[in-house]
Amino acid sequence: MPNFKCHFCKICAGKGCIGEIPGMGGPNKSQNCIENFAAWQKYQLPVSEAQQSTPPQIRLAPITGAVENVGYTDERQFYFDLLRSCADSGVPLSIGDGTPDEKLLFGLEALRSLKKKAAVFIKPYPDARFFERIDWSLDCAEFLGIDIDSYNIVTMRNLVHLEQKTSGQLCKIKEYLSKHGIPFVIKGIFSENDLKMIEEVKPDVAYVSNHGGRVDTHFGSTADFLAKNAKFLSSHCGQVWVDGGLRTQKQLLVAGALGADVALFARPFITALCRNKETGISEFVAEISK
């Protein structure tokens, strides 16, 4: 039986795993994990039914590090279990990468076994290594994104030489993907500098995220950032995505009312899978899709 690091709190609000890294927590006493969850509570749904009529699409957020962070006994098995359960529940997929390379390769292997495509997210490696990973992923990529917020994971940044990409570098990635008919996503939009970058690059998708509160960045929530900047972002990209602290159907609807086209979930899917490998994710999806 795996020794899961999730505490299965009655309300998953980032408090039961404060500071647990590796684990399900975040830096600075998990302040942004907690803030992500709390911020969604203060927004009210619009009164107009028309404004509520089209909730954002639900999508699995990119997740890696299952052994060290989740307590799963086998990294490869985690991706197969997670992606299969989400696919069986009708949830569009995402995968991420990390070090060693197997973290991305296991996700791609699972997608191929399921005959599914996903939003594939690659960390901001030096260009040669980044484009190599694009080529690994082309046959599996529904979208392909760069995970700019992972630059703030200091240990990984130093280990694999992550870079802060310029707008020019990002435009070259977008151009390369466009030739292959794959939409380009910039994930980790959470600062004024990021907004300027979106204005210059005009990606297909701008993805508001602070890495689930798991990276060392400025204090704040993705809900507040979305509320403040969704109109600006949507004027410079095709879609706006958001993650961080989403747990309930009401919060999903709030995300849509604030301007999100897609809402991505990570911890709730992890918790559901660990609670009940067979039906946990389908039950969670049913709950938030009522």
Side-chain angles (χ1 to χ4, degrees), residues 199-217:
E199 184 178 20
E200 293 171 348
V201 178
K202 295 180 173 56
D204 299 288
V205 179
Y207 183 166
V208 175
S209 178
N210 58 14
H211 217 85
R214 292 177 54 80
V215 296
D216 195 4
T217 185

Side-chain angles (χ1 to χ4, degrees), residues 55-61 90-93 249 252 261-265 269 284-290:
Q57 182 188 56
I58 299 165
R59 180 179 283 270
L60 172 68
V91 175
L93 306 175
Q249 183 195 43
L252 177 66
D261 299 291
V262 177
L264 296 93
F265 293 76
F269 283 132
F284 172 71
V285 172
E287 180 64 28
I288 62 173
S289 303
K290 288 180 180 177

Side-chain angles (χ1 to χ4, degrees), residues 122-185:
I122 301 172
K123 290 179 170 52
Y125 302 103
D127 283 355
R129 194 172 184 189
F130 188 90
F131 278 92
E132 177 186 44
R133 279 156 177 71
I134 290 179
D135 290 341
W136 291 354
S137 308
L138 286 174
D139 66 309
C140 295
E142 178 189 8
F143 297 84
L144 198 140
I146 185 167
D147 189 4
I148 64 170
D149 48 356
S150 64
Y151 179 81
N152 293 315
I153 307 173
V154 178
T155 53
M156 177 163 285
R157 181 173 74 214
N158 294 337
L159 181 65
V160 294
H161 311 295
L162 300 183
E163 299 178 339
Q164 285 185 303
K165 297 294 187 184
T166 66
S167 294
Q169 287 174 301
L170 295 174
C171 285
K172 289 180 180 178
I173 296 169
K174 178 186 173 184
E175 181 181 358
Y176 184 79
L177 291 173
S178 179
K179 291 178 181 178
H180 292 276
I182 299 173
F184 178 45
V185 186

